[in-house]
Amino acid sequence: MKFYQLANGDKIPALGLGTWKSEKGKVAQAVKEALQIGYRHIDCAPIYGNEMEIGQSLKEALDSGSVKREELWVTSKLWNNAHESQSVLPALQKTIDDLQIDYLDLYLIHWPVAFKKNVIMAQTGEDYLSLDDVPLIETWRAMEKCVARGLCKHIGVSNFSQKKLAHLIQSGSIKPQVNQIEAHPLLQQKELFEYCQKEDVLVCAYSPLGSGGEPSLLEHGVVKKIADNRGVSPAQILLGWGVTRGTAVIPKSVNPARLLDNFRGANIELSSQEMEILAKVDRDYRFVDGSFWAIPGSPYTVSGLWDN
Ligand code: A2P
């Protein structure tokens, strides 16, 4: 398994288990299976509604001694309703309690979008706070305090454009260590990726398999052809592509055979020729386009979200 070294020397496994859309009743078993296979990185978020169940599996594995805490990398994310300074630490504490661990390895601002406290999913414009009301840098400073308190080892962001990331890099005391963004051959995010590399911010690719959406990445002709030539699965090519490129990947699965398939895929190094062929597949196509934050009355727009 490949690892990426962060600024302080800590190492994050290139492959993590994604848990978005992993249903309650299935995710505990998936985490158990994944740990048995050898996954050591789990990507979580309170909005996925399954942290308590994931916590049960983490506790079992840690109590049994099959995995040591220091071998595990656990990421979670600050939800949109806890961007106000005083809400950040309680939100992190709740996540840690639900996951039944003492600290997170990585805590991310989930979206550069804020809701009023107690709003779980904004339904009307009234439910939002604008970034003038709650500037991202204030949220970031509260995240920095969580590091000082020992509640998380690293902090970062998710769904941040280059502009928003640059603002935190310039104005914060701690540099964001990771930007978790949607990335796969249809959405390669070349400019943002190169900026992150230049700034030593690790990119973690979410929805690396296309998140079960349309058009199907797993059915993409070019991906399938490379997979057939190598006698591996399309999913393995997609994960090999992400890791060869230098991103972490967090495929979601609750299926034991696919968990294993993905584990092996993350060890595949694609050739420069295969990488060149896949570079041409880019369509700037988002499965998660953020339009759900741009409902009537919301202070957010899709172009403002991605700064394009
Ligand atoms: P399942 O959980 O039933 O395995 P992403 O990681 O891009 O969000 O994609 C997750 C989707 O891809 C889920 O629908 C998941 O279903 C499916 N999936 C995960 N791994 C594989 C695989 N190796 N082959 C095919 N489909 C997969």
Side-chain angles (χ1 to χ4, degrees):
M1 172 63 58
K2 186 169 166 184
F3 288 81
Y4 297 110
Q5 191 161 328
L6 300 179
N8 73 341
D10 285 353
K11 288 179 182 161
I12 174 171
L15 173 73
L17 175 67
T19 61
W20 179 36
K21 299 187 190 167
S22 294
E23 308 89 328
K24 283 192 201 162
K26 288 191 180 168
V27 72
Q29 190 57 29
V31 171
K32 241 188 246 182
E33 301 266 1
L35 293 174
Q36 269 163 21
I37 289 170
Y39 286 69
R40 290 293 178 267
H41 167 182
I42 316 283
D43 183 82
C44 313
I47 194 62
Y48 304 161
N50 52 16
E51 287 195 326
M52 283 172 84
E53 199 175 319
I54 293 170
Q56 287 162 15
S57 295
L58 293 181
K59 182 171 166 40
E60 251 175 58
L62 291 167
D63 284 354
S64 75
S66 61
V67 184
K68 294 198 191 77
R69 177 66 188 90
E70 57 273 22
E71 294 166 349
L72 264 188
W73 185 280
V74 184
T75 298
S76 188
K77 313 184 190 93
L78 178 78
W79 187 234
N80 302 355
N81 59 6
H83 273 216
E84 290 169 287
S85 301
Q86 69 279 12
S87 300
V88 173
L89 192 138
L92 171 54
Q93 190 64 58
K94 164 97 173 70
T95 273
I96 287 174
D97 292 347
D98 285 353
L99 291 169
Q100 303 201 45
I101 49 181
D102 298 328
Y103 65 89
L104 287 180
D105 296 277
L106 177 64
Y107 199 40
L108 307 175
I109 299 180
H110 203 153
W111 285 92
V113 170
F115 299 163
K116 288 181 180 156
K117 207 175 166 176
N118 302 323
V119 171
I120 291 173
M121 197 49 88
Q123 307 291 339
T124 73
E126 286 292 296
D127 290 336
Y128 287 90
L129 294 170
S130 74
L131 294 183
D132 291 330
D133 297 327
V134 197
L136 290 168
I137 188 63
E138 286 180 16
T139 306
W140 187 249
R141 291 200 175 109
M143 302 272 289
E144 292 176 339
K145 286 193 182 133
C146 296
V147 178
R149 296 274 292 260
L151 294 175
C152 52
K153 299 226 171 191
H154 302 273
I155 50 177
V157 296
S158 181
N159 296 299
F160 269 48
S161 65
Q162 177 174 328
K163 184 175 166 193
K164 293 187 179 81
L165 185 54
H167 175 54
L168 293 193
I169 291 174
Q170 278 148 21
S171 312
S173 304
I174 300 179
K175 191 176 195 178
Q177 303 275 283
V178 170
N179 189 12
Q180 187 179 119
I181 54 175
E182 181 183 341
H184 43 69
L186 291 180
L187 181 71
Q188 303 193 11
Q189 309 236 42
K190 201 164 171 282
E191 244 178 77
L192 179 55
F193 177 56
E194 283 169 4
Y195 173 76
C196 289
Q197 280 194 314
K198 179 170 79 71
E199 288 293 341
D200 214 11
V201 175
L202 177 70
V203 169
C204 177
Y206 75 72
S207 300
L209 307 177
S211 198
E214 289 297 327
S216 169
L217 250 184
L218 294 162
E219 298 287 326
H220 193 286
V222 175
V223 176
K224 273 177 83 173
K225 192 160 177 230
I226 297 175
D228 287 347
N229 285 343
R230 278 184 170 253
V232 302
S233 71
Q236 291 182 318
I237 293 301
L238 292 169
L239 299 175
W241 175 81
V243 174
T244 302
R245 195 180 183 217
T247 67
V249 289
I250 47 168
K252 172 263 175 184
S253 185
V254 290
N255 173 298
R258 294 201 278 264
L259 285 169
L260 183 59
D261 193 53
N262 296 347
F263 187 75
R264 292 182 173 149
N267 284 324
I268 293 177
E269 177 90 20
L270 297 193
S271 68
S272 46
Q273 200 193 359
E274 288 167 326
M275 292 302 282
E276 272 168 36
I277 295 169
L278 285 167
K280 295 189 192 120
V281 166
D282 197 3
R283 294 287 175 276
D284 209 11
Y285 182 81
R286 291 182 191 274
F287 291 100
V288 183
D289 67 5
S291 55
F292 35 83
W293 305 137
I295 59 173
S298 159
Y300 299 91
T301 60
V302 172
S303 60
L305 179 66
W306 307 120
D307 290 307
N308 56 20

